[in-house]
Amino acid sequence: MASLNVYSALVVLFLTCGAAMATKENDQIIKENNCETKMGLPCVLEAFTSIFETGTISNKCCGELVGLGKVFHSALVKRTLENPLFKDLRPATIIAKSIQTWNNCLALIDSPSPST
């Protein structure tokens, strides 16, 4: 339960913090596209844990992530990395995981679903 609270807090930070520290470009992309409200909280949590922790992202959440677009995805990851709370993370590792998550989701969404 405490783990869920920690992840919930991180998700809130992922969505809301860092605006003052964010580059104008990333912040502008996020605001102009109203990105923070277009992805459900459970999917934000899955995306966050797959990039910033060790976790997986479901097909449904991959669909939401890909639906928002790569520009949004990259801007939100970069904005989170600019937050002082995440200063101990290695940006190269996070960016690599971000690209891997994006590519995995893109491949999943682009591949035809098996017939049942």
Side-chain angles (χ1 to χ4, degrees), residues 2-40:
S3 175
L4 181 60
N5 289 337
V6 169
Y7 283 128
S8 297
L10 289 174
V11 167
V12 169
L13 291 171
F14 183 64
L15 289 175
T16 60
C17 290
M21 295 291 169
T23 62
K24 290 179 183 178
E25 180 182 333
N26 292 330
D27 206 34
Q28 185 176 357
I29 290 167
I30 293 165
K31 284 181 181 180
E32 284 179 358
N33 295 295
N34 200 24
C35 296
E36 293 176 328
T37 61
K38 292 182 178 177
M39 192 171 187

Side-chain angles (χ1 to χ4, degrees), residues 65-66 69-70 73 97-107:
L65 181 64
V66 170
K70 187 169 184 160
H73 173 71
K97 287 176 76 176
S98 168
I99 292 168
Q100 180 182 13
T101 297
W102 176 262
N103 289 340
N104 290 346
C105 284
L106 195 58

